[in-house]
Amino acid sequence: MDACVGKMARLLDNDQFLEKVGVSTKSCLLNRHPPWQGFAVTDPERDNGLLVTHINQAHDLLSVQMMKIESKKVQTTEEWLRNYSLESLQLTLEHLINEGSIILNSRNAVEEIELTEEMVTDFESRLSEAVELYQQRIQWLLEDSRKVFGLIKGTKVGLVVDVSGMSCRPRLLNFQRDLLCLIDEQLCHKKQLYCLSFSTEISSLWESPKNISVHVLHEARQWVQQLEPGGSCNLLKALKHVLTVKELDSLVLIVGSCPDQSLEILADYVQQCMLGRKLLIHAVIYDCINPASLTVLKNLAEVVRGRYHCYSSKGENVDSSDVDLLLQEYQKAKDLINSIKQIFQRRIGGSLISRIADVSTKYTSTTPSNFLPKPPKHEGPLVIQIPSFAAKTSRDWLKTNGLKAKKLNLYQVLAPNAFSPVEEFVPILQKTVSSTVHEKAMMQFEWHDGTVKNIHVDPQVLYNYQKLLGKMVRIYERRIDWLSVASRGIWGSVCERRVVILVDISVTNSTYIIHIQHSLRLLLEEQMSNKDYFNIIAYGNDVVPWQPELVPSQSENLQNAWRWVLSLQCKGSRNFMTALRRAVEVDFKDKDKHKSQGMYLLTTGIPDQETHAISAYVAETCRGCDLQLHVCLFSVMEDVDSNGIISARYASPTETAIAFKEIVQAANGRFHWFGEAGIFESDDINIIVSEMEKAINYSRKCAFLVKSLKQRSGNQSVNPFIPERDSKMLVKKEKRRPQKWPSPKPTALSLARMSIKDNHGEERNANIRGLKWRPTSAKAEIPPAQTVKEWPQIQNKRKHKSRKQPEFSMSVFYTDTGRNVGAVYRKYPETVSIRKSVPSVTLPKKEEICSSKQWLAKYSIKKLKLELPRLMFGPHCTHQKKIVECLHKKVSAKYCTIFPSVEINGVVKHLQFQAKELESYAEQIEKVLQRYVQRIQWLLSGSRRLFGTILEANVCVLIDTSGSMEPYLPHVTKELTSLIWEQLRKNEVRFNLLSFAENTESWREYLVEATDETCHDAVQWVSRFRAYGNTCILMALQKAFSFQDTEALYVLTDGKPDTSCSLILKEIERLRKKQDIKIHTISFSCTDRRANEFLKKLASQTGGRYHCCFGDVDGQLAAHRMLTEGLDGDDDDPVFPYFEGDDLKKLTQEVAKARRFLKQAKSLKLLIEKWNVNQKDNSVFKKSAQLPASSGKSRRGTLCL
């Protein structure tokens, strides 16, 4: 009968056969499960004379049989474990103990639990059956399409398929084969199906979900077979499309490459779209070895409380949420069996061992088998030690034990016998002469500041100094040994009085959980008893604190903390940022009031968040208070453990160490890197090693000084074969040098000639009374003759401020012929350039959160000194004409023909810039102009397009929900949601929300911190907006002014208020006297000019800004065209629309000004180039220079600036 049924099932798969036999395929839709799915019916019941004689009867029989099999298995593991977990089956140790009876031991009067052998054997038997049941469930999950895609839940399923990573033909064929198997085995049993493929673009099979039918499944199979590989993996675009399909209750994401967007962006978007909606997300990572892809999809599923499934064609290991839950339950059952063996072995004998041997070991390889062995008495109570002295960092320890503190610095030792070389100016020699005494009695030695000292070397002192250095080196070695043992080899020296310990318990640490627990035990035993307060925070995906706040470091608390540590289990990724923020904002919320506070992080890998983000946060947190973050990095040498677990973010050990060094540096902390082989790097140890190297260097310098002294003493010993008098004469002969004859004294005639040369033709001074003269010297040169200073003649001179004369020098010499004197100028008067050069500007790439007024105060064209008229045309450029009496007319200046001239606003000016300088100016102004346009694009993006930029740290947003807002309320609600996440949450702004119509309704009665929880709550509150009634702005403003610590209000409305505008302005002026609050107004779809004028006046009166989103689309298009097509400023170039908002208006005005300058600079450049060409072509240049002024006009251009 099995063969008959199988044959009929195959026939049912053929639609043509069904039509021939007269069976409509629509009848298949009445059943939940299709008939074409083949099943092998095991152990069929006896026929009892009822044979299957019609094809419909075979269909019904197969459907019933399939329902029996699938009803128990088509459940998620969570649903399945509700009935088959150890707790549900009453197979825990607690249940076993409850079956026994309590007796009193007659020997030691201790209560014991008595269990019969039958009880334990029966319990073991049921426990073994549970183990086999878990094995069967795991085996079933790893068969057919469930092995590739996992178990698909839901009845209305959306299938989203990534084809970006299918460029390889064999991989695409395998993928298509697996998808066809998924359709035939699982999706065919659903009620509705929706198919979508995506890469760079998206492509859907149908516009809406289709009811499952033969025709629909046939289309789905054809769609799978026609899939073609695409570009990048734009998962966000696919989610934006598929999440608009409201009929779906299950979404299957099949991704084979790394998504283009980050986890934060995807998770935030999916969470917002799933608010108030029951949608199960099933993320499948198909045959992808990229760790980033695994991390993004797995964490995305966990964030939205969905399920994940990772499949690899190269290995048999499957990472699945369903399988993981079963493996945990399976491991619990095995551990319980081992516990029963240890507890009841004396009573039961060998039956337990034989029973365990019967348990299938098919999946034992999937459980962790390489855990570190537990140390002796690992789970016992702590043996707390009280330190005998307060711990110090190596930096603080060296303040009392360093070479400088012990006055063993080499320069401190040599300072009493160190002398600076004596250098004096000898007038007779006209140069600086150094002392030569050190050549006989001292040694020259380079000092720490780079100068050279003369050192009197005492060998005995230096020998004693070297002995002291050796003693200090041995002390430093003992310090390093002390830092390398016990808990200090793992944590370093814990010195602060208030300590929070952050422990990484991500799933990648499952193998090393015993090591982590043992490290915490050593720390609690050896270093925590003398602290004031402490707490422990474990983190994976979620943050698990031991206590809500810091607790005293008492013995009882330490023991309780250790018992809590023993219960830790590794799961999730490394969400370090959340744990860090929890420690700072809860445990150290009063960090400014306390001193000596520290956080110690024990981790094995790089965090989920980016390094620069963590560094910026800890730098901001630790600034201005006594709080440090110290990192203890445990280096795991295996890239992937035996379970195939891959870390959330991949980084090599060296890259991880570099990242944590950057974080520690930002937090003013210490870095400690260790592994199973020992300590790799430690800041505490490095400082000591540096001090040791300094001591060794000092010792070497001492040895060099002594050695040099010995060598000099040996070279200067007196020769016994030469008499003393002869040796002295020899030295005198060696020191004697040939001398030059002195130059002749200048005669009076020579001096007179030189005086005439100095005065440049002026009359000789009659007050010359004498000459300066110096004694002759062998090396002295004849100085330039100088006259004696004139006597002051105050009576004949008017009192006026003396003008500083330009300085210059001249050298005088005799010529070869006669007694003529010549002169050479050595230094000419300095000239001051009055031309301005084109400045080189540098603008920041990162957008600053400030108003356009503040931004332009730093980066406007005037501030950057790029205004073209001021840069090119000064007073010296003006064309000048004067009347020549003999000609009786105005004549241009001589230089008018040298420079081209232009007429600017009716005034003729000369161009003294070159074409290259104007080209440089054009490059700089284009750079500035491009940055302005990018700033405008930023202002027109995201929530800033509607609300503008939120500048203050404490704000309240007021939303008009009157009846006139009804057509726009969904759009405003969406933009307000974006504002909450994009600006308020990202910039950590304290905020409140208030809606107003006829009445006002506030979200909270005070400002709240922008956390994930509060932002979710705010978004849900916003989603309940309803439009009704009038516009009562005054009541809303009065309510907003009652909130404490508010710095600014952001008011969005679409029309004029119901009350008097002047009344509102007066009332606001009165309220601002009590509390100075800025009001930023936002006009939304308001065409009433008077209403807009009121909003402008309200913002201006309170020091706020007026914002209007009108023209945003045209502005974005114009900005895009400017950046792509060019910024020349021609007539056909794109221009910005007229923005009424303050921020955009100021920026667009600056853009227009910059474009005008750019156009003028290019026109001037063409004018100069044309003028240069004319000058070269003009062969009679001298004649053209003498042409009348009218000819100069022909070379002028007209320009208006």
Side-chain angles (χ1 to χ4, degrees):
M1 182 175 177
D2 291 344
C4 180
V5 172
K7 183 176 181 181
M8 290 183 180
R10 288 190 296 272
L11 291 174
L12 287 173
D13 191 33
N14 193 337
D15 296 339
Q16 297 178 356
F17 174 79
L18 293 177
E19 293 176 359
K20 288 180 180 180
V21 297
V23 179
S24 175
T25 55
K26 295 182 180 180
S27 62
C28 301
L29 303 178
L30 301 176
N31 298 284
R32 181 178 178 183
H33 302 286
W36 51 84
Q37 181 67 44
F39 286 89
V41 183
T42 57
D43 299 329
E45 298 179 358
R46 294 185 179 181
D47 180 29
N48 295 328
L50 300 175
L51 295 178
V52 179
T53 59
H54 195 271
I55 193 167
N56 286 336
Q57 294 179 358
H59 164 241
D60 295 338
L61 177 62
L62 288 173
S63 299
V64 171
Q65 184 69 19
M66 182 177 62
M67 287 291 293
K68 291 181 180 179
I69 297 174
E70 296 294 322
S71 60
K72 296 182 181 180
K73 293 186 178 181
V74 183
Q75 295 177 337
T76 63
T77 301
E78 292 181 354
E79 298 170 346
W80 189 81
L81 286 177
R82 292 172 189 170
N83 299 322
Y84 297 102
S85 65
L86 296 180
E87 186 70 30
S88 301
L89 297 175
Q90 298 184 354
L91 290 177
T92 63
L93 188 59
E94 182 180 358
H95 290 98
L96 176 62
I97 293 175
N98 292 336
E99 293 180 3
S101 58
I102 301 176
I103 61 174
L104 187 66
N105 194 329
S106 59
R107 297 180 180 178
N108 50 17
V110 176
E111 292 184 350
E112 294 182 348
I113 298 176
E114 183 179 18
L115 293 171
T116 63
E117 185 174 351
E118 290 77 8
M119 289 182 183
V120 178
T121 304
D122 179 66
F123 187 83
E124 272 189 319
S125 175
R126 290 189 289 126
L127 199 58
S128 300
E129 290 176 358
V131 170
E132 293 178 358
L133 183 64
Y134 297 149
Q135 290 178 342
Q136 293 174 2
R137 175 75 182 185
I138 294 174
Q139 184 177 2
W140 179 79
L141 287 173
L142 298 181
E143 292 176 350
D144 303 328
S145 64
R146 293 180 294 274
K147 179 179 180 180
V148 181
F149 301 103
L151 188 62
I152 309 300
K153 284 291 294 180
T155 57
K156 301 175 182 180
V157 180
L159 182 64
V160 181
V161 179
D162 170 28
V163 294
S164 60
M166 302 299 167
S167 57
C168 180
R169 186 66 181 174
R171 178 175 175 172
L172 178 61
L173 294 176
N174 293 334
F175 183 55
Q176 291 173 337
R177 184 189 67 243
D178 293 336
L179 282 177
L180 292 174
C181 184
L182 174 66
I183 293 174
D184 292 342
E185 294 181 2
Q186 297 192 58
L187 298 183
C188 60
H189 304 306
K190 309 302 178 183
K191 291 183 179 180
Q192 289 185 348
L193 181 63
Y194 181 78
C195 299
L196 174 75
S197 64
F198 71 95
S199 54
T200 306
E201 302 294 334
I202 60 174
S203 175
S204 59
L205 179 58
W206 306 295
E207 294 182 358
S208 61
K210 298 292 185 180
N211 294 328
I212 294 294
S213 65
V214 175
H215 180 69
V216 167
L217 292 175
H218 181 68
E219 288 184 356
R221 292 191 191 96
Q222 287 184 339
W223 172 75
V224 169
Q225 294 173 354
Q226 294 173 0
L227 288 177
E228 294 293 336
S232 59
C233 180
N234 194 350
L235 179 57
L236 181 60
K237 189 171 185 179
L239 289 173
K240 286 183 178 180
H241 181 84
V242 75
L243 289 177
T244 59
V245 183
K246 302 298 183 181
E247 297 89 344
L248 302 177
D249 59 7
S250 177
L251 186 60
V252 182
L253 304 177
I254 304 176
V255 181
S257 59
C258 183
D260 297 344
Q261 296 79 20
S262 63
L263 172 63
E264 289 78 8
I265 296 175
L266 295 172
D268 288 344
Y269 180 78
V270 174
Q271 284 178 324
Q272 292 301 317
C273 292
M274 290 179 61
L275 286 176
R277 180 181 178 185
K278 293 183 179 180
L279 179 65
L280 178 64
I281 299 235
H282 181 79
V284 180
I285 300 94
Y286 180 84
D287 200 12
C288 180
I289 61 174
N290 189 348
S293 177
L294 302 179
T295 303
V296 171
L297 270 297
K298 188 173 180 179
N299 291 341
L300 177 63
E302 292 178 354
V303 166
V304 299
R305 302 185 181 278
R307 297 159 58 239
Y308 65 89
H309 186 89
C310 305
Y311 166 74
S312 174
S313 61
K314 297 181 180 179
E316 295 299 326
N317 293 329
V318 177
D319 187 9
S320 170
S321 53
D322 286 336
V323 176
D324 290 345
L325 291 174
L326 283 172
L327 288 176
Q328 292 177 9
E329 204 71 15
Y330 174 79
Q331 187 62 36
K332 287 180 184 178
K334 289 195 65 180
D335 293 341
L336 184 56
I337 292 176
N338 295 332
S339 300
I340 294 174
K341 174 186 175 182
Q342 296 174 1
I343 296 173
F344 301 104
Q345 186 175 9
R346 178 175 59 86
R347 297 182 179 273
I348 299 177
S351 59
L352 180 63
I353 298 175
S354 61
R355 187 64 186 172
I356 291 179
D358 295 336
V359 179
S360 174
T361 58
K362 181 176 182 180
Y363 290 95
T364 54
S365 60
T366 60
T367 58
S369 59
N370 57 344
F371 284 102
L372 296 175
K374 291 184 178 181
K377 301 181 181 180
H378 175 71
E379 299 180 356
L382 299 177
V383 182
I384 299 175
Q385 306 172 14
I386 300 178
S388 57
F389 56 89
K392 291 184 179 180
T393 64
S394 292
R395 193 177 299 278
D396 294 336
W397 185 80
L398 287 177
K399 291 179 180 179
T400 55
N401 297 278
L403 296 177
K404 188 175 182 180
K406 296 292 186 181
K407 297 183 179 180
L408 291 177
N409 188 295
L410 177 60
Y411 305 104
Q412 291 174 317
V413 174
L414 297 178
N417 297 320
F419 304 94
S420 299
V422 179
E423 294 184 352
E424 291 185 358
F425 180 78
V426 180
I428 192 173
L429 300 177
Q430 281 289 301
K431 69 176 183 178
T432 302
V433 178
S434 302
S435 174
T436 59
V437 179
H438 71 276
E439 295 180 357
K440 298 180 179 179
M442 296 186 182
M443 300 291 300
Q444 283 193 323
F445 184 74
E446 185 177 357
W447 214 244
H448 60 83
D449 58 356
T451 60
V452 178
K453 301 281 187 181
N454 296 329
I455 306 296
H456 177 72
V457 179
D458 188 346
Q460 187 61 37
V461 173
L462 294 183
Y463 285 148
N464 295 334
Y465 174 63
Q466 284 182 310
K467 291 180 181 179
L468 293 175
L469 288 177
K471 183 179 179 181
M472 292 306 300
V473 168
R474 288 190 291 274
I475 293 175
Y476 296 151
E477 288 176 347
R478 289 199 296 270
R479 170 77 179 182
I480 292 175
D481 293 339
W482 180 77
L483 289 172
S484 305
V485 297
S487 63
R488 293 175 296 276
I490 300 172
W491 300 90
S493 182
V494 179
C495 309
E496 292 80 8
R497 305 298 303 174
R498 296 162 58 86
V499 178
V500 170
I501 305 165
L502 303 171
V503 184
D504 173 12
I505 57 168
S506 59
V507 69
T508 52
N509 294 338
S510 301
T511 306
Y512 297 92
I513 186 62
I514 300 299
H515 197 133
I516 294 173
Q517 291 174 346
H518 185 65
S519 302
L520 285 167
R521 179 187 179 94
L522 292 177
L523 177 66
L524 295 174
E525 287 181 340
E526 299 177 3
Q527 300 195 58
M528 296 305 298
S529 59
N530 64 341
K531 309 303 177 189
D532 294 339
Y533 295 91
F534 82 105
N535 196 3
I536 305 175
I537 298 176
Y539 70 91
N541 269 350
D542 301 323
V543 177
V544 185
W546 169 55
Q547 292 293 336
E549 292 183 348
L550 293 172
V551 297
S553 296
Q554 301 172 354
S555 177
E556 181 181 358
N557 289 334
L558 294 174
Q559 296 288 356
N560 292 336
W562 170 240
R563 286 192 288 272
W564 177 80
V565 168
L566 288 174
S567 64
L568 292 178
Q569 295 183 355
C570 296
K571 57 183 178 180
S573 58
R574 297 188 180 96
N575 191 0
F576 172 57
M577 192 66 171
T578 304
L580 181 63
R581 294 188 59 180
R582 196 273 176 199
V584 171
E585 296 173 3
V586 178
D587 294 290
F588 294 119
K589 58 184 178 182
D590 299 328
K591 60 182 183 296
D592 298 331
K593 301 179 182 179
H594 301 278
K595 294 184 178 180
S596 188
Q597 306 169 105
M599 296 178 286
Y600 287 79
L601 168 65
L602 178 62
T603 182
T604 60
I606 196 163
D608 294 350
Q609 294 79 18
E610 295 292 337
T611 304
H612 64 84
I614 300 176
S615 300
Y617 177 76
V618 297
E620 182 68 23
T621 300
C622 299
R623 185 183 297 120
C625 62
D626 189 6
L627 176 63
Q628 293 86 31
L629 171 65
H630 313 287
V631 175
C632 307
L633 176 60
F634 175 40
S635 184
V636 180
M637 291 307 172
E638 298 177 355
D639 294 336
V640 181
D641 59 20
S642 59
N643 294 321
I645 299 173
I646 301 176
S647 58
R649 284 181 62 208
Y650 174 77
S652 65
T654 304
E655 293 171 344
T656 304
I658 293 173
F660 277 116
K661 284 180 183 178
E662 180 181 342
I663 294 172
V664 165
Q665 186 177 4
N668 298 322
R670 290 170 287 141
F671 177 69
H672 187 83
W673 184 14
F674 69 100
E676 296 178 355
I679 298 175
F680 302 140
E681 184 177 349
S682 172
D683 288 347
D684 277 338
I685 294 178
N686 288 345
I687 293 175
I688 303 297
V689 171
S690 177
E691 198 73 6
M692 290 175 61
E693 292 176 350
K694 189 185 296 183
I696 295 172
N697 186 31
Y698 288 164
S699 180
R700 290 174 178 171
K701 288 184 177 180
C702 290
F704 174 76
L705 284 173
V706 174
K707 182 179 180 182
S708 300
L709 180 64
K710 290 181 177 180
Q711 290 178 352
R712 172 169 293 184
S713 299
N715 293 337
Q716 292 184 356
S717 60
V718 181
N719 194 336
F721 298 100
I722 300 177
E724 186 178 36
R725 188 182 63 180
D726 295 341
S727 64
K728 289 181 180 179
M729 292 187 63
L730 180 62
V731 171
K732 288 183 180 179
K733 289 181 180 179
E734 290 176 354
K735 288 187 177 181
R736 188 174 180 181
R737 296 177 181 176
Q739 296 183 351
K740 295 182 180 179
W741 293 101
S743 301
K745 181 178 179 179
T747 62
L749 179 60
S750 299
L751 292 177
R753 290 173 178 170
M754 288 188 288
S755 178
I756 293 173
K757 203 71 175 178
D758 290 338
N759 294 330
H760 299 282
E762 296 181 1
E763 295 182 0
R764 191 178 62 170
N765 192 350
N767 294 324
I768 298 177
R769 301 297 181 188
L771 301 171
K772 282 190 176 182
W773 184 249
R774 297 186 180 90
T776 59
S777 173
K779 294 184 178 179
E781 298 178 356
I782 300 177
Q786 299 179 1
T787 60
V788 181
K789 293 182 180 179
E790 298 179 357
W791 295 101
Q793 300 176 358
I794 301 176
Q795 298 177 355
N796 300 329
K797 294 183 179 179
R798 295 181 180 179
K799 293 183 179 180
H800 63 278
K801 188 175 181 180
S802 60
R803 182 178 297 177
K804 187 176 180 181
Q805 299 296 331
E807 297 181 357
F808 59 94
S809 63
M810 181 179 65
S811 177
V812 182
F813 61 92
Y814 286 101
T815 60
D816 295 337
T817 60
R819 293 187 177 183
N820 297 326
V821 179
V824 176
Y825 284 92
R826 292 183 177 177
K827 184 178 181 182
Y828 292 90
E830 295 182 357
T831 58
V832 180
S833 176
I834 58 177
R835 288 189 59 187
K836 297 179 181 179
S837 60
V838 178
S840 178
V841 297
T842 303
L843 296 177
K845 295 182 179 179
K846 186 177 180 181
E847 296 295 349
E848 299 180 15
I849 301 177
C850 60
S851 64
S852 292
K853 183 178 180 181
Q854 296 169 338
W855 195 78
L856 289 175
K858 296 185 289 186
Y859 307 116
S860 65
I861 296 176
K862 183 177 181 181
K863 194 68 177 178
L864 298 174
K865 299 180 180 180
L866 286 176
E867 288 183 308
L868 188 60
R870 294 188 180 184
L871 191 64
M872 294 190 61
F873 306 109
H876 57 284
C877 297
T878 305
H879 176 71
Q880 296 181 0
K881 284 185 177 183
K882 289 186 179 181
I883 297 177
V884 180
E885 296 181 358
C886 61
L887 299 177
H888 301 289
K889 64 177 180 180
K890 289 185 178 181
V891 179
S892 301
K894 293 183 179 180
Y895 60 81
C896 288
T897 56
I898 301 176
F899 302 104
S901 58
V902 292
E903 185 176 343
I904 301 175
N905 298 332
V907 179
V908 178
K909 293 192 175 184
H910 295 286
L911 290 174
Q912 298 185 13
F913 264 43
Q914 300 296 327
K916 291 184 177 179
E917 292 174 308
L918 285 171
E919 184 178 357
S920 175
Y921 173 82
E923 291 178 359
Q924 298 299 323
I925 202 70
E926 282 181 351
K927 185 193 302 183
V928 173
L929 190 55
Q930 185 178 11
R931 185 65 184 86
Y932 288 166
V933 176
Q934 291 173 354
R935 176 80 178 180
I936 292 176
Q937 276 189 323
W938 180 72
L939 290 176
L940 291 174
S941 64
S943 60
R944 290 175 295 273
R945 183 184 62 84
L946 179 60
F947 290 94
T949 308
I950 305 296
L951 306 181
E952 295 79 12
N954 301 281
V955 302
C956 179
V957 183
L958 289 74
I959 305 297
D960 181 4
T961 57
S962 60
S964 58
M965 287 288 292
E966 184 174 3
Y968 315 110
L969 203 55
H971 176 68
V972 173
T973 302
K974 182 179 178 181
E975 293 295 333
L976 185 56
T977 302
S978 177
L979 172 72
I980 293 172
W981 288 107
E982 183 182 3
Q983 295 197 58
L984 302 182
R985 177 66 184 93
K986 183 178 180 181
N987 301 327
E988 298 182 353
V989 178
R990 295 179 68 243
F991 73 101
N992 196 3
L993 304 176
L994 189 148
S995 63
F996 63 91
E998 291 180 351
N999 301 313
T1000 61
E1001 181 183 358
S1002 62
W1003 170 52
R1004 298 286 176 89
E1005 294 301 323
Y1006 50 87
L1007 302 186
V1008 298
E1009 299 288 344
T1011 63
D1012 292 341
E1013 182 179 357
T1014 56
C1015 289
H1016 279 297
D1017 188 25
V1019 170
Q1020 291 180 351
W1021 183 78
V1022 167
S1023 64
R1024 295 193 292 267
F1025 278 173
R1026 295 292 180 270
Y1028 68 96
N1030 300 325
T1031 307
C1032 188
I1033 292 182
L1034 181 58
M1035 187 186 302
L1037 292 173
Q1038 290 172 340
K1039 175 69 173 177
F1041 266 84
S1042 65
F1043 299 142
Q1044 296 294 328
D1045 301 329
T1046 305
E1047 298 179 28
L1049 306 179
Y1050 287 79
V1051 184
L1052 184 143
T1053 182
D1054 69 335
K1056 188 178 178 182
D1058 297 340
T1059 54
S1060 171
C1061 295
S1062 59
L1063 176 64
I1064 294 175
L1065 295 175
K1066 291 179 181 178
E1067 180 65 16
I1068 293 302
E1069 189 66 27
R1070 184 186 67 82
L1071 292 173
R1072 290 188 75 247
K1073 292 179 180 179
K1074 301 178 182 179
Q1075 191 175 1
D1076 187 12
I1077 297 178
K1078 296 180 180 179
I1079 300 179
H1080 306 281
T1081 57
I1082 304 164
S1083 174
F1084 179 76
S1085 296
C1086 181
T1087 57
D1088 189 351
R1089 196 168 114 193
R1090 293 183 180 180
N1092 288 333
E1093 290 298 329
F1094 162 71
L1095 294 178
K1096 291 179 183 178
K1097 191 176 295 185
L1098 179 60
S1100 176
Q1101 178 178 308
T1102 58
R1105 294 166 294 134
Y1106 170 74
H1107 182 77
C1108 180
C1109 62
F1110 176 75
D1112 55 342
V1113 177
D1114 295 336
Q1116 291 173 346
L1117 179 61
H1120 177 72
R1121 289 186 59 193
M1122 285 184 187
L1123 294 177
T1124 55
E1125 297 178 7
L1127 303 165
D1128 295 335
D1130 297 334
D1131 296 335
D1132 58 343
D1133 285 346
V1135 293
F1136 285 112
Y1138 177 74
F1139 291 112
E1140 294 186 0
D1142 293 341
D1143 283 342
L1144 291 170
K1145 184 177 181 180
K1146 287 182 173 62
L1147 264 179
T1148 50
Q1149 289 174 351
E1150 200 71 13
V1151 167
K1153 183 178 179 181
R1155 295 181 72 179
R1156 187 170 69 250
F1157 286 161
L1158 177 60
K1159 184 177 180 180
Q1160 291 167 357
K1162 292 186 176 181
S1163 299
L1164 292 175
K1165 178 174 176 280
L1166 293 176
L1167 179 64
I1168 292 175
E1169 291 176 347
K1170 184 178 180 180
W1171 189 86
N1172 290 335
V1173 171
N1174 292 337
Q1175 288 295 100
K1176 290 180 181 179
D1177 294 342
N1178 193 351
S1179 58
V1180 192
F1181 178 77
K1182 293 184 179 180
K1183 292 183 180 180
S1184 64
Q1186 297 175 357
L1187 290 175
S1190 59
S1191 62
K1193 293 183 180 179
S1194 62
R1195 290 187 297 273
R1196 294 177 191 158
T1198 302
L1199 193 64
C1200 295
L1201 292 179

